[in-house]
Amino acid sequence: MVAAVNVFSRQQLDIGSRFLLDQAPHWPASRTVLDLGCGNGVLGLVAMDAPQVKPESVVFVDESRLALQSARRNSEQLKGDSSAKCHYLHSDGLLDYPDSLPAPDLVLCNPPFHQGHVVDDWIGRRLIAQCAARLCRGGELWLVANRHLPYGESLARGFASVEQMARNNKFIIYRAVGK
């Protein structure tokens, strides 16, 4: 895996994403997987290999052009011909998600929880609301969150059901089902 300069967790897989990847055997079958805030694309690439997911397309979304370049390079290097099913969207969350792409039925997200040195859940809450608006009915958002961030209320407000799939001393994995 490669990651351009200034891409989050450039040198190694971050522990939040690693914890979310531990849940990959539980991700549902999905036609369109969206790796939101994709960084180097590891979540979407693992979804492509998960035998039960079997996506027809994977959409990598990030506000960083360098992150999207990293995700594209990794999908081309690691997936070869399968990279043709990948799409790359330079966007502030899902604000610019085009109607030409299918609505996602699985969103994987390890949202940022700080701006500069300030810890804040605003970005995560915003991404949760965008997912609630874009996710297919019955589709799933799988989100890894630092335990100290109060995402439960935002998830409950936007989704038909929410459950905690895993937790450890640092993170919670949420599964939220679209309305």
Side-chain angles (χ1 to χ4, degrees):
M1 294 284 288
V2 298
V5 175
N6 292 329
V7 173
F8 176 69
S9 194
R10 181 172 184 241
Q11 300 299 323
Q12 62 187 15
L13 183 62
D14 73 283
I15 58 175
S17 291
R18 184 176 293 122
F19 191 46
L20 183 54
L21 289 172
D22 289 343
Q23 299 301 308
H26 307 290
W27 297 344
S30 304
R31 293 179 65 187
T32 301
V33 173
L34 196 145
D35 184 345
L36 182 56
C38 66
N40 64 13
V42 67
L43 298 176
L45 293 170
V46 169
M48 288 175 76
D49 287 338
Q52 80 285 3
V53 178
K54 300 179 188 157
E56 293 174 14
S57 62
V58 178
V59 182
F60 297 91
V61 179
D62 207 294
E63 69 175 0
S64 164
R65 288 191 189 281
L66 292 173
L68 288 172
Q69 288 172 2
S70 297
R72 181 184 299 270
R73 283 184 59 203
N74 287 324
S75 65
E76 289 171 353
Q77 284 181 343
L78 299 172
K79 302 301 174 200
D81 290 343
S82 294
S83 69
K85 66 168 113 180
C86 297
H87 307 274
Y88 308 90
L89 178 61
H90 181 241
S91 177
D92 180 7
L94 300 178
L95 293 178
D96 299 318
Y97 197 86
D99 291 335
S100 61
L101 289 176
D105 49 3
L106 175 61
V107 176
L108 304 170
C109 186
N110 180 2
F113 63 93
H114 53 81
Q115 290 183 304
H117 297 291
V118 177
V119 174
D120 190 4
D121 66 343
W122 181 81
I123 296 170
R125 286 184 289 114
R126 209 168 128 258
L127 293 175
I128 288 167
Q130 292 172 6
C131 288
R134 277 285 179 186
L135 192 65
C136 289
R137 170 179 253 158
E140 298 182 9
L141 164 64
W142 285 69
L143 180 119
V144 59
N146 291 69
R147 284 181 61 155
H148 67 277
L149 297 174
Y151 289 137
E153 191 174 305
S154 295
L155 288 162
R157 188 172 35 254
F159 292 86
S161 67
V162 178
E163 64 182 305
Q164 291 184 19
M165 300 303 290
R167 66 185 305 138
N168 64 19
N169 63 345
K170 196 161 175 116
F171 300 102
I172 299 172
I173 304 291
Y174 292 101
R175 174 185 164 265
V177 177
K179 292 181 179 179

